[in-house]
Amino acid sequence: MSRIHVNTTINGDAVDYLCEAEDTLLDVLRDQLDLTGSKEGCASGDCGACTVELDGRLVCSCLVLGAEAGGRTVNTIEGMADGDVLHPLQKNFIEKAALQCGICTPGILVAAKNLLDHNPDPSEEEVRYWLAGNLCRCTGYDKIIRAVLDTAAEMRGAA
Amino acid sequence: MAKDEFEKREFKIVGTRVPRPDGLDKVTGRARYGADMSAPGMLFGYCLRSPHAHARIKSIDTSEAEAMPGVKAVVTRADFTHVPASGGTKDILDNVMAGEKALYDGHTVAAVAANSRSAAKAALKAIKVDYEVLPHVTDVDEAMKPGAPELHQGRQQESVPEGFSQNVLARSQYGHGDVDAGFAKADIIVERSFKTAATHQGYIEPHACLASMGNDNQADLFCCTQGHFMVRNTCADIMGMESGRLRVTASEIGGGFGGKTTVFLEPVALMLSKKSGKPVKMTMSRDEVMRASGPTASTSIDIKIGVKKDGTVTAATGDFRYQSGCFYSMNGALGAMCGFAPYDLENLKTVGWEVVTNRPKAAAYRAPGAPMAAFAVESVMDEIAKELGMDPIDLRLLNGAEEGTKAAYGPTYPAIGLKATLKAAKAHPHWSAPLGENQGRGVGCGFWFNFGGNTSVSLMINPDGTVNLSEGNPDIGGSRASMSMMAAEELGIPYEQIRTIVADTASLGENDVTDGSRVTFAVGLATIKAARHAIEIMKGRAAATWGIDADAVEWVDGAAQPAGPNAGKFPPLTLKDIAATMSKTGGPISGHHEANAEGAGVSFGTHICDTEVDPETGAVKILRYTVFQDAGKAVHPDYVEGQLQGGAVQGIGWALNEEYIYGEDGTLQNAGYLDYRIPVASDLPMIEPVILEIPNPGHPYGVRGVGETGIVPPLATIANAVSRAAGVRMTSLPMSPPKLLAAIKAN
């Protein structure tokens, strides 16, 4: 089976890979590039565990083909911290117990960071609707929503 | 006696909110879950699943698939030649690889391993299975009737009376007193029937594993599970190998809620690996998770309660009919034991039924069997309160269980927290807040047994004074943090000085599964005892250093010191001091503890919920939700709150949306998150947790399990709120908009 050669940028690094036509971006990230922080919970775009940024927009990487990432910019959970300095959302998710099992956490963090990049002062309702595409089965969302709101306030204070 | 374990003390670390040791890995994407591990030369394995609800497998032809490029192994039931020693494991084998019959839509009939995902999936399509489709049954009441399509023959226990199909496997009865005499004394009797749909645990991480087995009959397995020792024992029995030759390592686990307390892919992956001679990774799709891994039971329940005009219950009966999929599972009996557990009843009779149907074998789901039973009982209690014009909390306080009450399932309760949760609920501002139009408030109580079980813990003192703790229970809710906290508390050293890991099956003694809300209780108890063991050794080293009796040494704030003025005058030796010199004072120091822990304290909770019903659409909005639960002692309050919040929200999903929908042909119609809708962030308000601490006499710190009870009251609580908001009693779950709208219109 012939494979497709793709040049792209992932977490700021130029990356190239060969993929089959049917491979999703999530398959490529996980199986070929060992970026296993993005999770497969459903492969149908319903759970958000594979959420990444594609050219700055949130997408479910299970709904994007690996071939489609050519010439574009992909940001995953592995690129969220700055070296050993955690993003304030990452720090607060640990400190405020906003995770239990942690399987949804990468997708939620990527989505929440994208929200705060666009809207530094979201209401609780805005956070809840923004994250409505990211399923969490452990927490009931309470501590996640609080951690995002607290982080937004903290980042506004620091700005 | 386990009862005497509790000692009142001032805590320094227990009860604080420290960061969890697995936090960094989980927020950076580094944490390795079941599907995140790879091995050199690894193959990908996939299952072929039955498209029929019930079918005889006449033949399977794998020859074409085996000849396809990249395919390294194909297995069917014919490859599993060893007959498991345990009957329960035989059922598990029948569930993970169908034998003579496929018993449900999604039942595995064959599996393939190939060198790419696409090659394996292509090969699945080339396997030819000749099925003889048989009549099927998926409803519990239909399955019980004589003449229903029968799944098995000869499995019915003697407890089942005549007049039922072979699908009824067992009947059990509980209670005390004379219910006929009790009902004769009642002024009001309410009798209702209820139905609840099957729901799925809904963990976001699908089942996954990586197996490596050679022809030396030695194997390694990495998998997401709630109990890797259980995986080892079960898989060894299925594979016909000695358990010591199979090492199982638990991955990080992406949610379980009871659904990962058995095996699905693991024996299949081992067989594919054995046959191909290569490591095999298997992952389930969401569709496979829904169709073939453990949903909970669906139920049909009758409840009858008689009361005097003052609200005193004179008698109660319950008939709990549970279908648990295609194999025996104890669920109806648990419903029969738990439904009335919050009450002090003079006359009670409950009966539980275990029924098989053409659905996937039920797995445990957070307090298995109890939420549905509580839904039925608490709904009738609410109706009685309404009829009497009585505050529903007062009705429950009047009849509530307390220390000394003979429990619905037999024993007499020690100190319990039910009434404390009811009183806290009544005093909370939520209970008296005003309600608007189309809004209703519900209350409900729930009970869970909690469990102790086999536990091994090892605690190692390192030369620099740091401490490593090995436990054998996958951490699903922050237990590594809790264990480090309890060890730090006992040793008198900072939390940061301890690192807790989940050891593999070859590195630690036997451990029961992470279930029954047992870990913080039982592993915590073993951790405390392992720390005490290490302290005894360290006191001995200090005594030898000082040349005094070990009895004359006490351990205070992380250091050995002479016990009183008669012991002699020596400056304290800290844990670090003793660790630094241990090679000269007798060698390495480790504490350990192994026990089949008893004394898990039972747990009660009371929930309050406000709902608003849209009379035009039947949609329900959760406006406010408050959880009151007895935690005994909250070791890490954040994670206790997380359990209460998470349990409540799973209950909200069960009450309002979630259900397994089967078509006429017996196939599952909604095997995905789009059509099986679990609550999302925008469906919910904040969930307020109120933790009560009534110490469990069976634990040194008073700890009770908290993981499961939180899902028991919500179904009833929400149904009571909805019924009051809509003005019509809802007796069937989920209360989906079409169902609620039809009920409103029929009213």
Side-chain angles (χ1 to χ4, degrees):
Chain A
M1 192 184 294
S2 73
R3 300 207 288 170
I4 302 160
H5 185 212
V6 177
N7 283 286
T8 186
T9 302
I10 299 178
N11 298 328
D13 295 328
V15 172
D16 77 309
Y17 52 81
L18 293 169
C19 68
E20 294 180 19
E22 67 188 59
D23 288 344
T24 66
L25 176 57
L26 179 62
D27 293 335
V28 171
L29 291 172
R30 291 181 53 82
D31 290 349
Q32 293 204 40
L33 305 177
D34 207 21
L35 293 171
T36 55
S38 302
K39 307 299 180 188
E40 181 181 307
C42 68
S44 57
D46 296 312
C47 79
C50 65
T51 301
V52 300
E53 284 181 337
L54 183 66
D55 288 344
R57 286 188 60 193
L58 288 179
V59 295
C60 289
S61 57
C62 72
L63 296 183
V64 176
L65 291 172
E68 288 181 284
R72 302 171 81 175
T73 301
V74 179
N75 289 326
T76 73
I77 184 64
E78 287 88 350
M80 192 162 166
D82 182 6
D84 68 348
V85 180
L86 296 179
H87 186 278
L89 279 165
Q90 293 174 304
K91 176 182 74 74
N92 280 330
F93 266 54
I94 300 174
E95 285 179 5
K96 296 174 188 301
L99 61 91
Q100 283 179 34
C101 82
I103 194 88
C104 70
T105 307
I108 289 187
L109 284 169
V110 170
K113 176 180 177 294
N114 190 273
L115 168 65
L116 299 191
D117 287 347
H118 290 95
N119 179 359
D121 189 12
S123 67
E124 181 189 331
E125 191 175 22
E126 283 171 326
V127 177
R128 286 187 180 279
Y129 275 88
W130 190 271
L131 295 180
N134 293 84
L135 300 181
C136 169
R137 192 59 157 172
C138 292
T139 65
Y141 304 100
D142 186 299
K143 292 188 192 299
I144 292 172
I145 305 298
R146 288 179 197 277
V148 174
L149 289 168
D150 289 353
T151 304
E154 192 181 304
M155 289 175 74
R156 286 195 307 277
Chain B
M1 274 293 288
K3 267 192 167 184
D4 303 331
E5 293 283 351
F6 177 68
E7 258 178 79
K8 204 167 160 53
R9 62 190 284 162
E10 293 294 318
F11 293 105
K12 289 183 173 150
I13 295 166
V14 164
T16 63
R17 301 177 189 243
V18 294
R20 60 195 294 161
D22 48 318
L24 185 97
D25 281 355
K26 286 179 173 172
V27 301
T28 53
R30 285 184 216 169
R32 292 259 186 187
Y33 293 84
D36 297 340
M37 194 63 99
S38 303
M42 174 180 92
L43 306 176
F44 294 94
Y46 286 98
C47 292
L48 180 69
R49 297 180 181 277
S50 167
H52 305 295
H54 195 193
R56 191 170 308 285
I57 300 168
K58 291 163 76 177
S59 67
I60 303 180
D61 180 358
T62 60
S63 55
E64 197 183 316
E66 281 165 19
M68 288 174 70
V71 173
K72 304 297 180 188
V74 181
V75 300
T76 66
R77 182 57 183 271
D79 292 283
F80 292 84
T81 52
H82 177 74
V83 179
S86 129
T89 308
K90 169 105 180 15
D91 280 356
I92 293 172
L93 171 57
D94 283 339
N95 192 40
V96 302
M97 187 61 75
E100 291 172 4
K101 292 203 292 183
L103 294 167
Y104 56 94
D105 165 34
H107 199 163
T108 300
V109 297
V112 171
N115 59 11
S116 73
R117 293 186 190 277
S118 53
K121 286 177 179 172
L124 288 183
K125 290 181 185 157
I127 298 173
K128 296 187 187 73
V129 186
D130 188 9
Y131 293 104
E132 176 195 347
V133 177
L134 302 170
H136 67 272
V137 63
T138 55
D139 177 78
V140 61
D141 291 323
E142 291 301 319
M144 292 177 79
K145 289 178 186 166
E150 290 177 337
L151 280 75
H152 312 287
Q153 295 296 322
R155 293 196 178 197
Q156 193 165 68
Q157 295 177 10
E158 286 176 3
S159 56
V160 180
E162 285 186 20
F164 294 95
S165 81
Q166 288 284 317
N167 296 326
V168 182
L169 297 190
R171 175 192 183 277
S172 50
Q173 185 176 321
Y174 303 87
H176 46 257
D178 179 344
V179 291
D180 291 333
F183 282 122
K185 287 186 213 156
D187 296 316
I188 299 169
I189 294 173
V190 175
E191 194 171 2
R192 293 285 176 267
S193 295
F194 300 88
K195 286 210 117 173
T196 67
T199 58
H200 195 276
Q201 295 84 350
Y203 33 82
I204 310 298
E205 180 200 29
H207 299 270
C209 65
L210 172 62
S212 184
M213 183 165 186
N215 63 8
D216 58 353
N217 213 28
Q218 194 158 280
D220 286 279
L221 184 61
F222 175 87
C223 61
C224 63
T225 176
Q226 288 176 241
H228 43 308
F229 290 86
M230 169 279 299
V231 171
R232 178 193 66 180
N233 299 344
T234 305
C235 288
D237 196 6
I238 287 174
M239 299 299 290
M241 65 193 292
E242 293 161 314
S243 67
R245 301 191 71 80
L246 171 59
R247 182 178 64 157
V248 184
T249 305
S251 70
E252 289 294 340
I253 178 170
F257 315 109
K260 291 176 183 167
T261 57
T262 183
V263 299
F264 296 102
L265 297 174
E266 293 83 354
V268 180
L270 283 167
M271 192 59 82
L272 285 168
S273 178
K274 187 181 183 188
K275 208 167 173 183
S276 65
K278 295 180 188 308
V280 174
K281 177 167 167 172
M282 297 189 81
T283 53
M284 275 197 198
S285 66
R286 178 57 49 183
D287 174 272
E288 290 178 291
V289 171
M290 297 295 292
R291 284 165 70 206
S293 75
T296 187
S298 67
T299 73
S300 178
I301 300 171
D302 303 327
I303 299 294
K304 180 179 175 184
I305 299 176
V307 291
K308 291 193 165 177
K309 278 184 189 141
D310 70 354
T312 309
V313 175
T314 60
T317 60
D319 198 57
F320 299 85
R321 301 175 295 277
Y322 285 40
Q323 73 72 29
S324 296
C326 57
F327 295 103
Y328 172 82
S329 181
M330 191 173 95
N331 266 316
L334 294 173
M337 287 191 259
C338 294
F340 289 98
Y343 298 106
D344 182 358
L345 302 173
E346 207 180 319
N347 305 298
L348 174 71
K349 179 185 168 189
T350 61
V351 176
W353 302 85
E354 315 300 349
V355 182
V356 289
T357 67
N358 294 112
R359 295 178 182 231
K361 181 184 191 298
Y365 180 17
R366 216 168 192 161
M372 316 78 138
F375 161 61
V377 171
E378 294 295 284
S379 291
V380 174
M381 288 298 280
D382 194 62
E383 206 170 328
I384 287 169
K386 225 176 156 198
E387 202 160 324
L388 292 171
M390 200 168 167
D391 179 313
I393 292 184
D394 288 342
L395 178 67
R396 286 167 172 83
L397 278 169
L398 179 67
N399 294 287
E402 57 195 0
E403 184 168 359
T405 295
K406 186 173 170 56
Y409 58 100
T412 301
Y413 288 128
I416 55 172
L418 172 78
K419 286 192 173 177
T421 66
L422 282 164
K423 285 174 189 163
K426 192 162 187 207
H428 193 280
H430 183 170
W431 188 242
S432 48
L435 286 167
E437 200 184 345
N438 297 319
Q439 296 180 354
R441 177 166 299 142
V443 62
C445 295
F447 157 89
W448 186 243
F449 305 94
N450 292 340
F451 180 56
N454 291 300
T455 309
S456 305
V457 162
S458 187
L459 182 148
M460 292 74 77
I461 309 289
N462 300 319
D464 65 354
T466 57
V467 174
N468 283 121
L469 184 77
S470 291
E471 55 142 324
N473 279 89
D475 175 354
I476 55 177
S479 56
R480 277 166 293 190
S482 304
M483 295 314 136
S484 291
M485 292 172 81
M486 285 188 265
E489 187 76 49
E490 201 64 29
L491 292 170
I493 61 175
Y495 168 74
E496 295 74 17
Q497 214 166 308
I498 300 177
R499 181 171 183 189
T500 298
I501 62 132
V502 178
D504 66 57
T505 57
S507 308
L508 195 65
E510 184 74 8
N511 284 278
D512 283 339
V513 174
T514 296
D515 70 359
S517 302
R518 74 175 212 91
V519 172
T520 315
F521 165 73
V523 184
L525 185 116
T527 295
I528 291 165
K529 300 239 167 141
R532 288 179 183 174
H533 181 209
I535 287 169
E536 284 311 306
I537 298 169
M538 290 190 285
K539 280 160 63 179
R541 300 293 173 90
T545 304
W546 293 327
I548 64 173
D549 245 20
D551 290 348
V553 179
E554 60 182 8
W555 189 263
V556 179
D557 291 337
Q561 64 181 37
N566 297 336
K569 268 199 138 180
F570 304 99
L573 280 171
T574 66
L575 186 149
K576 276 196 178 185
D577 297 334
I578 295 167
T581 59
M582 68 187 178
S583 75
K584 292 178 200 151
T585 60
I589 299 171
S590 291
H592 62 97
H593 188 78
E594 297 79 25
N596 187 349
E598 293 181 5
V602 300
S603 168
F604 289 92
T606 297
H607 292 198
I608 314 173
C609 174
D610 295 353
T611 59
E612 182 169 304
V613 171
D614 182 338
E616 287 178 10
T617 64
V620 174
K621 187 162 179 54
I622 304 289
L623 301 172
R624 187 172 180 180
Y625 204 105
T626 311
V627 178
F628 305 84
Q629 191 174 311
D630 171 20
K633 174 67 197 172
V635 176
H636 193 305
D638 274 343
Y639 301 143
V640 174
E641 290 169 4
Q643 291 297 318
L644 308 193
Q645 292 165 329
V649 168
Q650 284 188 319
I652 289 170
W654 198 336
L656 297 180
N657 297 314
E658 298 178 32
E659 68 179 307
Y660 265 48
I661 300 169
Y662 280 91
E664 294 268 306
D665 61 356
T667 62
L668 184 61
Q669 304 294 293
N670 58 337
Y673 279 137
L674 186 62
D675 298 317
Y676 180 96
R677 195 176 179 286
I678 72 173
V680 303
S682 55
D683 294 335
L684 300 162
M686 294 296 185
I687 308 292
E688 184 182 342
V690 180
I691 300 169
L692 296 148
E693 295 186 327
I694 292 90
N696 168 21
H699 187 278
Y701 299 169
V703 168
R704 295 174 197 271
V706 298
E708 290 166 289
T709 304
I711 203 172
V712 183
L715 316 192
T717 302
I718 297 158
N720 291 339
V722 168
S723 296
R724 284 171 183 257
V728 51
R729 177 57 51 181
M730 295 304 292
T731 56
S732 171
L733 298 184
M735 296 174 285
S736 53
K739 205 187 276 178
L740 180 54
L741 190 60
I744 291 169
K745 286 195 168 157
N747 200 28

